Amino acid sequence: MAVTITALQLSQMVVGVTVQVYIYLKRKDPWCPTHYYNLRAAVIMYGSYMLLFAKFFYDAYLAPKKKPAAKKE
């Protein structure tokens, strides 16, 4: 169940970036600075979350598990 939730969160971030880029490309006024600033802020936010979720997903579910080192007594 946890892997499904993490995958859904990761896909949410991918969709967020995709939607923002699509809106930016379909804007009516190419000289409006608001679109550029909104896109930049949204891509930074969604992009950073996407990288964090991707790293977590890899570390938690895909990376080989490290065996704990033997204790020296």
Side-chain angles (χ1 to χ4, degrees), residues 2-65:
V3 69
T4 304
I5 292 172
T6 306
L8 288 172
Q9 289 171 319
L10 184 56
S11 64
Q12 175 188 1
M13 300 311 144
V14 171
V15 170
V17 170
T18 304
V19 167
Q20 290 302 315
V21 171
Y22 176 78
I23 290 170
Y24 179 74
L25 294 175
K26 295 298 180 183
R27 69 194 185 279
K28 292 182 181 180
D29 183 5
W31 301 109
C32 181
T34 305
H35 292 292
Y36 172 74
Y37 295 126
N38 287 343
L39 172 69
R40 186 171 61 178
V43 169
I44 288 170
M45 181 190 72
Y46 280 118
S48 63
Y49 289 159
M50 185 173 60
L51 291 174
L52 290 171
F53 276 114
K55 181 176 178 355
F56 175 77
F57 188 86
Y58 177 78
D59 291 344
Y61 307 116
L62 300 177
K65 304 294 182 213

